[in-house]
Amino acid sequence: MVSKNQIKLISSLHQKKFRTAHGLFIAEGVKVIGELLASHFELEHLYTTENLFAEIALSKKTMVGETDLRKMSALTTANNALAVFRIPASAEITQSGLIVALDDIRDPGNLGTIIRLCDWFGVGQIACSQETADLYNPKVVQSTMGSIARVNVSYVNLEDFLVNTKMPVFGTFMDGENIYTTQLPAEGIIIMGNEANGISKAVEKYATKRIAIPRFGKLQQTESLNVATATAIILSEFRRK
Amino acid sequence: MVSKNQIKLISSLHQKKFRTAHGLFIAEGVKVIGELLASHFELEHLYTTENLFAEIALSKKTMVGETDLRKMSALTTANNALAVFRIPASAEITQSGLIVALDDIRDPGNLGTIIRLCDWFGVGQIACSQETADLYNPKVVQSTMGSIARVNVSYVNLEDFLVNTKMPVFGTFMDGENIYTTQLPAEGIIIMGNEANGISKAVEKYATKRIAIPRFGKLQQTESLNVATATAIILSEFRRK
């Protein structure tokens, strides 16, 4: 059984202020929960409609009805499992390897997709501006498909972070150098800009290398690529030999 | 002024059966509407909250209040303009150049993003299976950001389409050849599979060339890439020299 107050607390975690106040976030579905359980994330409690996750102690799990799960869920179609995890202290970004820096990515789906891409391409660190979507937003957690457990995402003052780095800093701009013919190093910071405005003026000045993804459409009217698909193409170029 | 019946008709166009019955679809926002007006799409009527699109005849436009526009809108946050366009007859796919074939892409956002990518990379034709999301779904129209005006999207029986082609047919599979070291031609069909199940068994047998995007994550646990980001990487590889 789950009390009305518990349901209220859990559904309050859909909002950032309550996640911050309680230090908790939710994850849904067997796949995502399984990946988080197998990582450093600490389970607070698990709610399921079926007998799942036999390895979890009985004190940490509760069977609930579908109606109750739906009330707690942030998904349009609730899953068969919802877990509450503790928000861990975020690790500092270390200046090595490839690092993706996000300059105000507002859409939770885009942030989640970029985390999944970083995981695929072995990029272990993401530095987000304070205005970037919250990592523990249920839509972000869901769209990472578990990659959230393997990529270190840290919120920083992006200007302070970039002013202090000794690594090359890549930014994508219309007038940048063709990414297909640019020598791309194994270490560096790649800035991806906001969905509507691209990289902000304040951050742009720290880009030491301006790159561009050439367009091939004959009418030359396509305004831009979606930030997640642009990240996919750029990470692919950095990693291919 | 706009009547209650008109509002009802327009909001019914959020659903496919009414789009098909009326032969109409909606587009929202100045950018998307502008791109459609500049193309072969035929405007039925335009509704705006401000005096926009001076070039449109008065008989084809109506000023409406924000409340009415919100009732017609398919967006969470309504824009300042909503246009109703006629659904054109779809053009046949001609067997030349690069063609993307979609095997049951269900998510409207993914379909829209893939259309936008095709436009960017100069891929003028997309062949969709009948189960693929509807091109005129408002979410698809919106996420193409106007690219819908420049890419020919046609719904076909994908097996019939593939059995008759003489072009090379590429499919992405876990056991495929590393895309970074494969010779990729300027002409061919690229199949992208369903979000959950990948390329279906029925379609898989027509793939004459099996390719793969290598993963670089050290834990090798990332299950897959999102279909739109995978399409981005593949089209980029086909187009780069």
Side-chain angles (χ1 to χ4, degrees):
Chain A
M1 269 293 289
V2 55
S3 72
K4 273 197 177 167
N5 272 339
Q6 277 172 300
I7 293 178
K8 201 171 156 192
L9 176 107
I10 293 164
S11 61
S12 82
L13 300 176
H14 301 179
Q15 291 174 63
K16 187 178 179 182
K17 65 175 173 180
F18 294 108
R19 289 195 294 275
T20 307
H22 297 292
L24 299 170
F25 73 98
I26 60 174
E28 301 190 56
V30 169
K31 165 149 176 62
V32 176
I33 294 171
E35 298 249 18
L36 290 175
L37 288 174
S39 73
H40 61 286
F41 284 94
E42 193 190 331
L43 179 71
E44 176 75 12
H45 207 87
L46 176 70
Y47 301 89
T48 62
T49 57
E50 303 163 49
N51 197 359
L52 299 164
F53 296 105
E55 72 276 23
I56 303 294
L58 286 174
S59 64
K60 288 259 186 187
K61 62 184 177 186
T62 304
M63 291 269 277
V64 296
E66 282 181 25
T67 315
D68 283 342
L69 198 76
R70 209 177 309 130
K71 284 181 194 156
M72 302 185 233
S73 174
L75 302 174
T76 322
T77 313
N79 230 303
N80 54 359
L82 181 151
V84 179
F85 285 93
R86 298 197 167 279
I87 294 178
S90 80
E92 275 214 8
I93 303 280
T94 59
Q95 303 262 347
S96 69
L98 278 184
I99 299 168
V100 167
L102 302 181
D103 186 17
D104 299 3
I105 300 297
R106 301 298 177 97
D107 181 78
N110 282 339
L111 176 57
T113 305
I114 291 171
I115 294 170
R116 197 169 161 194
L117 278 166
C118 284
D119 188 24
W120 182 275
F121 285 111
V123 173
Q125 302 186 101
I126 302 178
C128 299
S129 69
Q130 305 288 357
E131 299 302 311
T132 293
D134 181 42
L135 176 60
Y136 296 108
N137 178 315
K139 282 186 195 153
V140 176
V141 176
Q142 227 50 38
S143 57
T144 66
M145 297 296 284
S147 290
I148 195 172
R150 289 182 297 275
V151 179
N152 172 26
V153 181
S154 193
Y155 289 77
V156 299
N157 178 313
L158 212 50
E159 290 176 65
D160 289 352
F161 176 74
L162 293 169
V163 78
N164 288 317
T165 189
K166 290 189 179 71
M167 301 176 91
V169 179
F170 293 80
T172 311
F173 302 96
M174 299 297 250
D175 65 353
E177 191 181 331
N178 181 341
I179 191 173
Y180 299 135
T181 52
T182 305
Q183 275 289 100
L184 302 169
E187 301 219 329
I189 297 167
I190 303 164
I191 311 170
M192 299 305 301
N194 171 268
E195 288 89 347
N197 308 314
I199 295 175
S200 60
K201 284 282 163 217
V203 164
E204 178 176 347
K205 61 175 176 286
Y206 300 107
T208 53
K209 191 90 190 173
R210 298 169 74 91
I211 51 175
I213 302 170
R215 68 179 114 187
F216 296 83
K218 52 177 182 270
L219 289 172
Q220 302 284 314
Q221 286 177 334
T222 316
E223 219 182 48
S224 68
L225 289 166
N226 161 290
V227 64
T229 55
T231 305
I233 295 162
I234 291 169
L235 292 183
S236 175
E237 276 303 309
F238 267 87
R239 288 306 193 200
R240 77 195 300 286
K241 292 292 165 286
Chain B
M1 269 294 289
V2 55
S3 72
K4 272 195 179 172
N5 272 339
Q6 277 172 300
I7 293 177
K8 202 172 155 189
L9 176 109
I10 292 165
S11 61
S12 82
L13 301 176
H14 301 179
Q15 291 174 64
K16 187 176 178 183
K17 65 175 175 182
F18 294 108
R19 290 194 294 274
T20 307
H22 297 292
L24 299 171
F25 72 98
I26 61 173
E28 303 190 55
V30 169
K31 163 145 180 63
V32 176
I33 295 171
E35 298 248 18
L36 290 174
L37 288 174
S39 73
H40 63 284
F41 284 94
E42 192 191 329
L43 179 71
E44 175 76 13
H45 207 86
L46 175 70
Y47 302 88
T48 62
T49 56
E50 304 163 46
N51 196 358
L52 299 165
F53 296 105
E55 72 275 24
I56 303 293
L58 286 175
S59 64
K60 287 261 185 186
K61 62 183 177 185
T62 303
M63 291 269 277
V64 296
E66 282 181 25
T67 314
D68 282 343
L69 197 76
R70 209 175 310 131
K71 284 181 195 156
M72 302 184 230
S73 175
L75 302 173
T76 322
T77 312
N79 230 303
N80 53 0
L82 182 150
V84 178
F85 286 93
R86 296 199 168 278
I87 295 177
S90 80
E92 275 214 8
I93 303 280
T94 58
Q95 303 262 347
S96 67
L98 277 184
I99 299 168
V100 167
L102 301 182
D103 185 16
D104 299 2
I105 299 296
R106 301 297 176 97
D107 181 79
N110 282 339
L111 176 57
T113 304
I114 290 170
I115 294 170
R116 197 170 160 193
L117 278 166
C118 284
D119 188 24
W120 182 274
F121 285 111
V123 173
Q125 302 187 101
I126 302 178
C128 299
S129 69
Q130 305 288 358
E131 298 302 312
T132 293
D134 180 41
L135 177 60
Y136 297 108
N137 177 315
K139 283 185 194 154
V140 176
V141 175
Q142 226 51 37
S143 57
T144 66
M145 296 297 284
S147 290
I148 195 171
R150 291 181 296 275
V151 178
N152 172 25
V153 181
S154 194
Y155 289 77
V156 299
N157 178 314
L158 211 50
E159 290 176 64
D160 290 351
F161 176 74
L162 293 170
V163 79
N164 288 316
T165 189
K166 290 189 179 73
M167 301 175 90
V169 178
F170 293 81
T172 311
F173 301 95
M174 299 296 250
D175 66 353
E177 190 181 332
N178 181 341
I179 191 173
Y180 299 135
T181 51
T182 305
Q183 275 290 101
L184 301 169
E187 301 219 330
I189 297 167
I190 304 163
I191 312 170
M192 300 304 301
N194 171 269
E195 289 88 347
N197 308 315
I199 295 173
S200 61
K201 286 280 161 219
V203 164
E204 178 175 349
K205 61 174 175 286
Y206 300 107
T208 53
K209 190 91 189 174
R210 298 169 74 90
I211 52 175
I213 302 170
R215 68 179 113 186
F216 295 84
K218 51 179 184 270
L219 289 172
Q220 303 282 316
Q221 286 177 334
T222 316
E223 217 181 49
S224 68
L225 288 165
N226 160 290
V227 65
T229 55
T231 306
I233 295 162
I234 291 168
L235 292 183
S236 174
E237 277 303 308
F238 267 87
R239 288 307 192 198
R240 78 195 300 285
K241 291 293 166 286

